[in-house]
Amino acid sequence: MIVSLILISAVPLSILTSLELSITRNPGIIQYRSHGWLRECAKWDSIHQRFLVSTMFDAGIAAIDIGKVQMEEKVMLRETDMAGNASLGITIDEDRRQIIVVFADVVGHKHSAVAAYDLDTWERNYITHLRGVEEGKEEEGVTMADDVAIDSNGNAYVTDTISNEIWKLDSKGNLLTKIRNQAFKQTNGLFSNLIGLNGIVYHPDGYLLVIHTIGGDLFKVDVTTEDVKVVEIIDGSSLKMGDGLVLLSPNQLVVVAATSVKLLESLDGWKTSKVTKIHRSGPMHRVATSGTVRDGKVYISYIVGGGFPRTHVITEAVF
Ligand SMILES: *[C@@H]1O[C@H](CO)[C@@H](O)[C@H](O)[C@H]1NC(C)=O
């Protein structure tokens, strides 16, 4: 995300203007009016047939009801207990009709939290403040919670993109452990851990798939044994700058990066994988960060808003 903002500030204004025009002319793009410049993550809420987006610096969530001629975001949540922090990764827990939201202090890296809200009433089911956990006692230090996945029992897994660890919470929001592994830490270069563990999804066979943004490693993490393996990318493709992940089917994973969206397939339970398709047609200057599945199709969301009046876009990734 931080890197994404550096990328966008390097694009000359004239190019930006023509890229913006290409959005206006593309009827396939879902475009909605918004009151903010930055929107981190969008997920499809199939129960209510709407996209939910994290609105970042107001620690909120907004809804976009699709199908209207003029789509506009509607504020559903502002977490006043997390004022000054940003809402980042979200995931929809359909079984429990709730949304899980990650919050973090993206500037000072002093605070991280994860919370769950009822998808119908927006009542808060839990909020848990996250720090490290060392032998039962909390430790202080810099953290930045980034993205979240839930397993079939409602346990939540939250990536810490600075310490390269994964918090695990039970379905009531109690902090159980922090999954640590030397393999999560990159060793090649000073900035190699600047943005570490980021996008995360739960695979129905009992493991997590997690991407390390700068290093480009895709990890398979067994949630029972906490065993960690690097998924071997047999075609030699790089997943560097990979951000959001989407599990399209048990054998298909989408890796969203600012520059391209890659479709990976695995035929051996994510021991090895290869990139089978690449999608490049999104408005690149808006900087893709996350993806979601709606009616079997993949939709990509972008962090940066633009235009007048200000809009954000969500596009379908056709592979
Ligand atoms: C983030 O939220 C925590 C918990 O409410 C609060 O203590 C902290 O001051 C907030 N951070 C910022 C930068 O405002």
Side-chain angles (χ1 to χ4, degrees), residues 81-85 105 111 129:
D81 287 353
M82 291 306 291
N85 297 265
D105 163 14
H111 207 93
H129 298 277

Side-chain angles (χ1 to χ4, degrees), residues 85-97:
N85 297 265
S87 50
L88 300 171
I90 57 179
T91 195
I92 309 289
D93 177 5
E94 285 188 4
D95 293 347
R96 293 157 205 83
R97 289 182 85 92

